[in-house]
Amino acid sequence: MFAKVVAVSLLTLASGQLLAAECKVTVDSTDQMSFNTKAIEIDKSCKTFTVELTHSGSLPKEVMGHNWVLSKEADMQPIATDGLSAGIDKGYLKDGDERIIAHTKIIGAGETDSVTFDVSKLKADEKYAFFCSFPGHISMMKGTVTLK
């Protein structure tokens, strides 16, 4: 009887942990100008969400740098265009650009950076996207962010 109670308790505990929302994702970037994902889903139960950006390539950030930028889908290209003149030291992002919801710094080979943002900034009926703001990368390095 005791073994049965323990087994049921462990099963209940395990299933409860499986139901807990994952409020973090790791996104890898490469020398081939790509992210390892094209879509990120954020559970509405998350208060904050963390994106850890890694760079598994071998090139330095000055040559093949990547960052992860979150914005409304419609703001992606204007943010990237406006950020071109900001330069690499500012992550090709214009200072004080309020269209940017969250972003990492630009990283190169073997580096990582992360950003945590408040999920309440996202609205369920809005289309969000992520992209790399390094010049020319947005055409291939982008994806969707969905609040579910």
Side-chain angles (χ1 to χ4, degrees):
M1 178 66 178
F2 177 73
K4 190 185 260 185
V5 170
V6 169
V8 169
S9 296
L10 288 174
L11 208 66
T12 304
L13 182 66
S15 64
Q17 288 174 337
L18 291 175
L19 296 175
E22 184 64 49
C23 299
K24 179 181 180 184
V25 67
T26 298
V27 176
D28 184 51
S29 58
T30 70
D31 287 344
Q32 287 73 44
M33 259 178 38
S34 66
F35 287 130
N36 67 340
T37 185
K38 295 282 185 200
I40 296 172
E41 290 187 345
I42 301 175
D43 194 287
K44 288 178 186 167
S45 68
C46 294
K47 299 278 187 246
T48 61
F49 193 83
T50 301
V51 174
E52 180 182 38
L53 179 66
T54 60
H55 192 311
S56 62
S58 59
L59 297 171
K61 71 180 180 182
E62 294 78 16
V63 177
M64 190 56 69
H66 302 306
N67 62 354
W68 185 92
V69 182
L70 172 64
S71 71
K72 290 180 180 176
E73 195 174 85
D75 292 335
M76 280 175 37
Q77 192 60 59
I79 290 169
T81 301
D82 291 349
L84 286 174
S85 61
I88 194 168
D89 291 339
K90 294 188 178 185
Y92 298 103
L93 296 170
K94 187 174 78 175
D95 278 339
D97 192 332
E98 294 186 5
R99 299 169 297 183
I100 299 168
I101 298 166
H103 69 89
T104 66
K105 67 181 183 184
I106 292 210
I107 61 171
E111 296 180 318
T112 64
D113 192 33
S114 64
V115 62
T116 300
F117 57 91
D118 183 349
V119 175
S120 70
K121 291 181 178 182
L122 306 180
K123 310 277 182 275
D125 59 345
E126 184 67 62
K127 290 185 184 228
Y128 297 98
F130 64 89
F131 63 97
C132 175
S133 66
F134 195 95
H137 290 196
I138 193 171
S139 63
M140 294 175 63
M141 298 186 74
K142 60 187 173 185
T144 60
V145 175
T146 309
L147 195 59
K148 63 175 185 131

